Structure formats: C-alpha cells, structure tokens
Amino acid sequence: MIPIKKINGLIAMLHVPALPGTPNGSLCITEITRQVLAEAKIYTDHGVSSLMIENMHDVPYLRRSSVGPEITACMATIATALRQQYPDLTLGIQILAGANQQALAVALAANLNFIRAEGFVFAHVADEGFIESDAAELLRYRKHIGAEGIQILTDIKKKHSAHAITADLGISEVAKAAEYFQSDGIVITGAHTGAEPNRDELETLARSTKLPIIIGSGLNPENVNDLMTHAQAGVVGSYLKEDGYWKNPICPKRLQRMVTAFSESSQFIR
C-alpha cells in the first residue's frame, strides 16, 4: 500500500501540454513528458516538494467516463516518469473533467500520493455540462483496486461552475457532507482560475470541518498569510507563470516570491 503522506504547504501545478488526440494536441508523449519533467525541475530547484499534474490544456474537456483510455494511458506515462525522477516528493493528479476513477487508477499505477476530485458530493453544472456526485462509486473503486493509501482531496462549490441547484446549501453543509462521505481533504476555490476564495466562506469552512483545507485557486505572495491561516495546503498554478497566466511558461521570479512567501508564513510546513 502507498504510505499516506500529510498534504501541506505549497503544491505547485504542472499543466501538462495538450495530449495526443485532443483539439490542441501537437506533441508526442515523449516530448510532453520531457517538458513536464523540465518544469518539475524548475519547481524542485526552488525548493518545492509537492507537485500535481493536470491535463488543463486538453480543452474542451470531456466528462467522467467519457475521458478516453488514451488520456489515462498518457497521464500514467507522465506520472510514472515524474515519480521515477522524484521518488521522495509528494505527488498528485487531477484528470479533467471529473475523471476521478481514471485519476485514481493512474495514481495507483504511478505510486502517487493523492488525487484532486471534483463532483464528490452534490451535483453541479460545470462548463463541461452536468456533473453528478460520485463519492460512493469512487470510494468503492479505491477499495476494489487496493488504493486506500491514496488520498482523495475533494472540491466543493468548485470554480467554473454554477451551483444554483444547491443554492439553499451553504458551504458548511457541503463540507459536512464531504466529511460524512469520507473525503480526505476539502478544496475551496474562487469563481474561476486565479481567483481567491471568498474569505467569509473560508472562515466558515474552517469552523465547519475537521478535514484538512486546501486553497485551490487565487494564492499569491500578498494573501498567503491571510488565507493559509485557515488552510493546511495551497495549490498554486497561474501565479507561478509569466504574467500570472496559466498557459505561459513558469516565471522563476514569481516562483521564488511564492516560495519565499510560504516559507515566511507561520502556517507553512514544508
């Protein structure tokens, strides 16, 4: 069984180039893997010890089981290479959109530590369409494949989504449902990529759950101290890129500012 690691501190995003077969795909898997490992080296050279891969360039995203076996196979190849290169790092994966079982399968094959799962509890309308909850199926699948050591970090009231059908539920009720359904950690985001979470909701969430809280978007050196007061970890992607835009290359100066901000925060534990 994969040993359970505490997820904390800065989690840097590795936005995998568009995979073969997707609308913007232009590179072979060897070239993609080489690029991901090169970006991972930049992060680790600056002291980052937790990384997460995600197929964000595969727009527009397929949903759940519609994600093809070629996507799962490519992500497994990349994840395995990443683990071989960095045997001691904390590594995670998300496969868009909501392909949580596929992500779990890759995590098991590549010896990753966690997945980020959307649509774990309650339904919502994402830009990919309607996403139903999958906690029951996902946890049974984890048990079936013997992947209990892989943590499932779950988005609630996630970004790029409409939550009108759960408008009568506050974030604390959603968090309590995720905790009851045995989530391993709660991810809170702003309304879109790069937007920080609502601070009132973050404080409410901190009072409502015993689970670890992960900031899923909008972290920057100026708000780390405030937001991380209520969280154990933070996923950072956009800020680390040139001009703060997720599609751009990593900006070493921004990366260093972010690492320094985390290291100076009283909440940060590397």
Side-chain angles (χ1 to χ4, degrees), residues 82-147:
L82 188 64
R83 174 53 81 198
Q84 290 173 342
Q85 189 74 26
Y86 300 102
D88 299 322
L89 292 191
T90 300
L91 301 177
I93 184 173
Q94 180 174 18
I95 298 183
L96 301 169
N100 300 331
Q101 289 194 23
Q102 289 88 336
L104 195 57
V106 172
L108 179 64
N111 200 31
L112 307 187
N113 303 104
F114 68 92
I115 71 166
R116 180 174 176 177
E118 55 186 298
F120 187 73
V121 290
F122 294 104
H124 65 271
V125 181
D127 42 14
E128 303 90 14
F130 189 65
I131 304 287
E132 292 190 71
S133 60
D134 72 344
E137 294 86 357
L138 187 60
L139 291 188
R140 283 165 174 78
Y141 181 66
R142 182 170 68 172
K143 182 76 170 181
H144 175 70
I145 64 174

Side-chain angles (χ1 to χ4, degrees), residues 91-264:
L91 301 177
I93 184 173
Q94 180 174 18
I95 298 183
L96 301 169
N100 300 331
Q101 289 194 23
Q102 289 88 336
L104 195 57
V106 172
L108 179 64
N111 200 31
L112 307 187
N113 303 104
F114 68 92
I115 71 166
R116 180 174 176 177
E118 55 186 298
F120 187 73
V121 290
F122 294 104
H124 65 271
V125 181
D127 42 14
E128 303 90 14
F130 189 65
I131 304 287
E132 292 190 71
S133 60
D134 72 344
E137 294 86 357
L138 187 60
L139 291 188
R140 283 165 174 78
Y141 181 66
R142 182 170 68 172
K143 182 76 170 181
H144 175 70
I145 64 174
E148 294 97 320
I150 298 169
Q151 296 183 69
I152 298 175
L153 311 181
T154 59
D155 278 87
I156 58 172
K157 299 275 188 179
K158 75 174 291 290
K159 59 186 177 179
H160 299 293
S161 301
H163 300 283
I165 55 178
T166 55
D168 58 332
L169 295 174
I171 199 163
S172 61
E173 284 80 11
V174 180
K176 288 175 183 176
E179 185 172 341
Y180 182 64
F181 274 16
Q182 303 178 50
S183 165
D184 294 308
I186 300 293
V187 182
I188 181 172
T189 68
H192 55 82
T193 297
E196 72 171 55
N198 179 286
R199 298 197 183 199
D200 290 337
E201 287 192 337
L202 178 57
E203 291 179 7
T204 298
L205 183 59
R207 295 192 300 267
S208 304
T209 182
K210 297 177 182 178
L211 292 175
I213 297 172
I214 298 93
I215 306 297
S217 69
L219 276 169
N220 59 59
E222 286 69 43
N223 64 18
V224 162
N225 278 325
D226 290 339
L227 295 182
M228 291 302 293
T229 298
H230 304 290
Q232 287 69 52
V235 178
V236 186
S238 297
Y239 177 81
L240 304 178
K241 304 300 184 69
E242 296 284 353
D243 300 320
Y245 184 49
W246 70 269
K247 285 187 177 182
N248 288 342
I250 297 169
C251 174
K253 290 183 179 179
R254 282 176 167 262
L255 172 57
Q256 187 57 60
R257 285 197 293 269
M258 194 78 241
V259 170
T260 299
F262 260 87
S263 64
E264 292 176 350

